[in-house]
Amino acid sequence: MTRLLIMGPPGAGKGTQAELVAKRFAVPSISTGDIFRSNIAAETDLGLRVKPYLGPGLYVPDELTNEVVRDRLTQADVAEGFLLDGYPRTLSQVDFLDKVLAEQGHELDHVIVLNVDVDEVVKRLHERALKEGREDDTPETIRSRQELYLEQTAPLIAVYRDRGLVFEVEGLGTVDEVQQRVADAIEQPPQPR
């Protein structure tokens, strides 16, 4: 069983690496951002509730995001493991995830942190916006997300580091090079807690 998180600033390549790692370990990749965007596109109740937050680059409130994650982690395909991308993003979400996993008799195995240069992040997000036509990747939104990441999400790394779960990986390089670094990190023996 493999229960993983992948973290790093927006544009660090988490989505790409999440899909590759999920395939390698035969677990589903769960992206809260993808769940939100697909619901917005389908104009579901959830999509209508999260759209006002995603447009200006704000985080969706914890209670709404937690509801989505709890539901997703109860589905049959995650019984043998998962890779979370984009969650948790706040300390209260860490607590919530711990609670949900404990209810299932599980805990996280690894937290992969992708480290990249800020200039590279801006470049990646610009390229992604052009390729995918993503309206939520304006320069203002990119700056806002970087600030939110530093303010709210980066402290989570310290929590997971204290638990011996963090493996930091250099996120610059080809997709294959980064994938190999991530796989090497995951296959290391667990850190003492």
Side-chain angles (χ1 to χ4, degrees):
M1 293 187 193
T2 305
R3 289 175 180 79
L4 308 166
L5 297 182
I6 190 163
M7 300 179 76
K14 293 184 307 291
T16 299
Q17 291 304 320
E19 290 298 326
L20 296 170
V21 171
K23 285 180 186 174
R24 182 180 188 122
F25 290 92
V27 297
S29 175
I30 301 169
S31 165
T32 51
D34 288 349
I35 292 169
F36 292 151
R37 281 187 288 277
S38 68
N39 277 273
I40 289 170
E43 298 182 348
T44 67
D45 178 57
L46 174 62
L48 295 174
R49 290 165 60 198
V50 302
K51 187 174 183 176
Y53 300 99
L54 289 188
L58 302 173
Y59 282 163
V60 175
D62 286 353
E63 55 277 358
L64 184 53
T65 305
N66 289 344
E67 176 186 327
V68 168
V69 170
R70 178 187 288 279
D71 177 68
R72 185 64 182 94
L73 293 181
T74 62
Q75 296 176 13
D77 68 330
V78 300
E80 298 299 315
F82 57 80
L83 186 144
L84 279 173
D85 168 12
Y87 183 93
R89 288 190 174 187
T90 65
L91 292 171
S92 65
Q93 288 179 1
V94 169
D95 294 339
F96 184 84
L97 179 60
D98 287 345
K99 179 182 169 190
V100 169
L101 292 176
E103 288 169 0
Q104 298 174 351
H106 303 300
E107 58 185 32
L108 289 175
D109 297 310
H110 298 289
V111 176
I112 302 301
V113 177
L114 295 179
N115 293 318
V116 295
D117 178 81
V118 174
D119 291 337
E120 182 66 20
V121 167
V122 172
K123 179 182 172 189
R124 285 182 183 186
L125 288 177
H126 242 333
E127 289 174 0
R128 181 174 77 181
L130 293 173
K131 284 182 186 174
E132 299 177 10
R134 291 173 62 157
E135 295 176 15
D136 59 339
D137 281 345
T138 66
E140 296 78 21
T141 302
I142 292 170
R143 280 190 287 281
S144 175
R145 286 186 183 145
Q146 296 301 316
E147 290 169 10
L148 279 172
Y149 175 78
L150 290 173
E151 177 186 316
Q152 296 181 352
T153 307
L156 279 57
I157 296 169
V159 170
Y160 289 125
R161 186 176 288 117
D162 288 346
R163 297 180 188 181
L165 298 176
V166 171
F167 292 93
E168 297 195 40
V169 174
E170 174 58 52
L172 295 179
T174 68
V175 170
D176 290 340
E177 289 169 345
V178 177
Q179 178 190 16
Q180 188 59 54
R181 288 182 209 134
V182 170
D184 291 346
I186 292 170
E187 291 168 359
Q188 290 181 24
Q191 309 255 336
R193 293 185 186 193

